[in-house]
Amino acid sequence: MTLPELTPAQRTEVELLARGKAEKSRTLRDLKLPETPESAHTLLLRLGVWNEARTPYADRLGASLTHLTLDVPDFAPEQRLDLSHLPAYAIDDEGNRDPDDAIGIEALPGGLTRLWVHVSDVAALVPPDSELDLEARARGATLYLPDQTIGMLPDALVEKTGLGLHETMPALSISLDLDADGNADAVDVALTTVRITRLTYLGAQARLEAGEEPFVTLARLARASKELRDSEGALSIDLPEVKIRADEHGATVTPLPKPEMRFVVQECMTLAGWAAAIYADDHDIPLPFATQADPSREVRGDGLGAQWARRKTLARTRFQPSPGPHSGMGLDLYAQATSPMRRYLDLVVHQQLRAALTGREPLDGKVVAAHIAQATLNADATRQAERLSRKHHTLRYAATQPEREWEAVVVDRRGPQATLLIPELAYDLPLSTPAPVGTVLKVRLVDVNLPALSMRARTV
C-alpha cells in the first residue's frame, strides 16, 4: 500500500480515532482500512506521525493524563502523639517518589511487641468533598505508566505528606500489640508525629541479614502472622514481577528482586489493614471494607503452573461499607489503609478514621458506598491503562531482541493451545505445542505488532 499524504485535518481525525475519542474515520474508510483505533494507530506509526513510544491506552480508557496543580494547604496545629523517639523505616523500591507508609516496633511489658505502621496523614489536607478530594475521587488512583507517573493528588501534596521527606512528619499511625506467635492482643489508631528513615528493600535486606534490629523482630513477626493467616486459608500467589521503564529512545524490562524484606513490609501492611478494619468495626465507623469470596477451587503445588492456576481461582476483591471476610487474605475483615496518596479508597479510610479521632461525624454508609462506586469505576480505568501500557512497552523491548532466546514455562493448556509465561518479562502468550504444564521451553519472540498488542513465540 502506498502511504498517503494526510492533511492536518485528516491527521487530527485519525489521531482522535486512535486515542478512542472518535468512533469513525472518513479518512480510513476512503483508504479502505478498518475504522478501528488499532488501524488508526498502525497508520500513524507507518506515516511517522506517532513513534513507538506513544501509548494511547489511557486516552482510550478515560484515565487522566493531566498533572494536578491545585493548591495544597499546610498542616493545621492539632494534638498528636509524639512517636519521634521510636525508629521507623519507609522501605520502598529504589527511586520511589511517594513514600506513604513506614514500619517500626516498640517493646511492651509481658513479652508483647507493638508493631507500628505509620501512614502519611493525607486526610489532614484532603477532607471529604474538598476540591482535592473530588479530583482524587475522579481519578480513583495514581496512574503509573512506564514513561511517567500521573498522581491522584498534586506533587506538592506528596512533598508535604511523604514520610521521610522532612525531619519529622505528621502521620496516622496504626498499632497492633502482638505476642511471639503473631496473635494480636490489642489494636489502636492515633494521630502522631514520627521520625522516618527511608531505605530501599535491598538496603533493609542487608540490615536484616546482618542481624540488626528492628529488622530481625519485624521479620519474625511477619512470618508468624503469615503462618496464622495461612492456617485460615490465605492464598499466596508468587508469580514473576518486573520493573518496566520507557522513554522516547526505548524500553527496558528488569526482573524485580524479591528479598524477604519485601514480604515483611507487605505483611505489615496487611496487618495494618486488618487492624484498621477491627478499629472501625469496634467504633461503628463505615469504611470501604475490602472483601473477597472463597476461591472457585483448590489448587495444589508451588510451581509456576500451580501459581498461575491458583490466581485464576480468586474472585475479585469487592468494597462495601460494612465488614466481611476476605478469603485471599485469610482474614475475617480487612480494609486497604496504607496508600492514601495513591488509592482513593485508602484516602476514604483515613478520612473516616480521622473524623472519629477528632470528634467529628464520619460519613454515613450510603455516602461511603457512593464513593466506592465512583472511585472503583475510575480506578479500574487507571489499572487497565497501566496494564496495556506495560504490555506495549514490553513488546517494544522484545522487538529489539529478535534473536534472543527466552526461557518460557508452560503454565496452562486448552486443547492443542498452551499458555507460556516468560519469567524475565512477566509476560504470557499463546503457543501451539503438546508440551505439558510445567515444561520449560526456549523460544524466540517474533511478529511484534504494537497497535494490536500482540507477538508470537517460536520454539528454538
Side-chain angles (χ1 to χ4, degrees), residues 418-445:
T419 298
L420 299 186
L421 176 65
I422 301 173
E424 284 184 84
L425 300 176
Y427 189 90
D428 64 276
L429 72 173
L431 178 71
S432 181
T433 173
V437 170
T439 304
V440 178
L441 302 173
K442 289 286 188 179
V443 300
R444 286 198 177 102
L445 302 175

Side-chain angles (χ1 to χ4, degrees), residues 225-236 329:
S225 171
K226 180 64 166 54
E227 287 180 9
L228 287 174
R229 292 196 302 110
D230 286 347
S231 70
E232 295 296 329
L235 291 181
S236 297
M329 293 289 189

Side-chain angles (χ1 to χ4, degrees), residues 12 20 25 54 75 83 93 99 131 146 164 174 186 188 193 208 231 236 253 261 292 321 371 418 435 449 452:
T12 299
S25 167
R54 180 69 178 268
F75 283 101
L83 299 178
D93 288 309
E131 192 173 6
I174 302 165
D188 201 5
T193 300
L208 171 63
S231 70
S236 297
V253 180
M261 282 306 301
Q292 186 182 53
H371 289 186
N449 185 326

Side-chain angles (χ1 to χ4, degrees), residues 34-50:
E35 293 179 75
T36 64
E38 293 76 19
S39 181
H41 189 173
T42 300
L43 179 61
L44 292 168
L45 285 175
R46 294 183 65 187
L47 291 172
V49 177
W50 283 9

Side-chain angles (χ1 to χ4, degrees), residues 11-309:
R11 178 184 299 185
T12 299
E13 175 195 303
V14 175
E15 284 192 289
L16 285 173
L17 180 59
R19 293 169 51 214
K21 303 298 183 182
E23 295 183 1
K24 297 180 179 180
S25 167
R26 180 174 178 176
T27 301
L28 290 182
R29 185 165 64 251
D30 290 345
L31 294 171
K32 296 182 172 52
L33 295 172
E35 293 179 75
T36 64
E38 293 76 19
S39 181
H41 189 173
T42 300
L43 179 61
L44 292 168
L45 285 175
R46 294 183 65 187
L47 291 172
V49 177
W50 283 9
N51 62 23
E52 293 185 346
R54 180 69 178 268
T55 55
Y57 315 106
D59 261 349
R60 290 181 192 172
L61 291 158
S64 178
L65 287 168
T66 304
H67 291 275
L68 274 179
T69 56
L70 295 175
D71 290 337
V72 177
D74 294 325
F75 283 101
E78 60 184 329
Q79 186 173 352
R80 290 179 178 271
L81 175 64
D82 188 357
L83 299 178
S84 59
H85 61 288
L86 294 175
Y89 301 89
I91 306 172
D92 290 294
D93 288 309
E94 187 172 355
N96 175 274
R97 298 177 60 188
D98 47 9
D100 52 6
D101 54 61
I103 54 178
I105 58 172
E106 180 181 6
L108 299 178
L112 296 177
T113 301
R114 179 166 293 166
L115 170 66
W116 283 104
V117 178
H118 309 296
V119 188
S120 52
D121 195 3
V122 176
L125 309 185
V126 188
D129 294 325
S130 63
E131 192 173 6
L132 285 168
D133 176 72
L134 294 175
E135 284 286 353
R137 195 186 314 161
R139 294 168 184 244
T142 289
L143 176 62
Y144 291 101
L145 301 176
D147 56 349
Q148 63 177 324
T149 297
I150 308 295
M152 180 184 81
L153 291 162
D155 290 344
L157 184 137
V158 176
E159 273 297 315
K160 286 188 178 182
T161 64
L163 298 183
L165 300 185
H166 305 280
E167 184 176 358
T168 60
M169 293 294 301
L172 186 146
S173 299
I174 302 165
S175 64
L176 301 95
D177 296 350
L178 303 171
D179 65 19
D181 296 323
N183 297 294
D185 184 67
V187 303
D188 201 5
V189 178
L191 300 178
T192 62
T193 300
V194 296
R195 189 185 307 273
I196 304 298
T197 300
R198 298 188 68 189
L199 290 174
T200 65
Y201 284 114
L202 294 180
Q205 182 67 24
R207 297 177 72 167
L208 171 63
E209 291 172 359
E212 292 185 32
E213 292 290 357
F215 306 98
V216 172
T217 296
L218 285 166
R220 175 179 58 79
L221 292 173
R223 293 184 208 112
S225 171
K226 180 64 166 54
E227 287 180 9
L228 287 174
R229 292 196 302 110
D230 286 347
S231 70
E232 295 296 329
L235 291 181
S236 297
I237 310 297
D238 186 14
L239 288 169
E241 297 178 68
V242 295
K243 178 183 289 188
I244 304 173
R245 290 287 180 264
D247 58 24
E248 291 291 316
H249 306 292
T252 60
V253 180
T254 309
L256 204 59
K258 294 186 177 181
E260 185 180 5
M261 282 306 301
R262 184 180 292 275
F263 151 74
V264 170
V265 172
Q266 290 172 343
E267 190 64 28
C268 289
M269 298 306 115
T270 298
L271 284 171
W274 179 54
I278 291 172
Y279 183 91
D281 190 34
D282 287 346
H283 293 81
D284 296 320
I285 306 169
L287 294 185
F289 290 95
T291 67
Q292 186 182 53
D294 291 337
S296 57
R297 62 188 179 90
E298 182 180 3
V299 176
R300 298 184 180 276
D302 294 316
L304 283 181
Q307 300 289 348
W308 185 267

